[in-house]
Amino acid sequence: MEEREIAGICKALGDENRVKIIKMLSSGELCACRILEALDITQPTLSHHMKILSDCALVAARKEGKWSYYSVNSGRFSEFKDSISEISRTKTEACRCGEKQG
């Protein structure tokens, strides 16, 4: 996963309500009305949050009649977790800027 993608996901998860939405969706697909009830936010605010989560591909959406249903894109979430794990496993050589070159 590219750094730009990782940063976008981190930014999307930087909001408490969006983290709550991801946690809710981790149990399975939900209708927007259920998310609205649980978070006590307005429909336009939910749409804003869902757009951000969809833009970074963490959440998938589908329409059924007038309702929208959302689910976690587990493949994308897995890629993100692997990328974050890779960052924490990366070993770098200590900086030697202060050493005399000889």
Side-chain angles (χ1 to χ4, degrees):
M1 182 176 282
E2 294 181 18
E3 288 82 6
R4 174 185 49 79
E5 295 171 290
I6 295 169
I9 291 172
C10 288
K11 184 176 179 181
L13 294 175
D15 180 271
E16 181 180 335
N17 282 320
R18 291 193 286 269
V19 172
K20 287 178 184 177
I21 291 167
I22 291 292
K23 283 183 170 184
M24 290 172 63
L25 295 176
S26 68
S27 298
E29 183 181 71
L30 288 174
C31 176
C33 62
R34 297 291 176 230
I35 300 169
L36 282 169
E37 290 169 1
L39 295 182
D40 194 31
I41 59 176
T42 65
Q43 189 280 323
T45 300
L46 177 62
S47 291
H48 170 74
H49 289 311
M50 298 317 291
K51 178 175 179 4
I52 291 170
L53 291 170
S54 295
D55 284 351
C56 67
L58 279 183
V59 169
R62 69 175 182 87
K63 285 274 207 187
E64 191 173 299
K66 65 178 185 171
W67 298 108
S68 293
Y69 291 83
Y70 298 99
S71 59
V72 170
N73 179 346
S74 0
R76 180 69 166 177
F77 210 87
S78 210
E79 285 179 54
F80 173 67
K81 290 189 298 186
D82 291 346
S83 296
I84 294 299
S85 292
E86 183 62 33
I87 290 170
S88 66
R89 284 193 308 264
T90 303
K91 302 279 190 227
T92 57
E93 192 174 313
C95 179
R96 300 162 104 177
C97 298
E99 292 179 13
K100 292 183 180 180
Q101 299 289 321

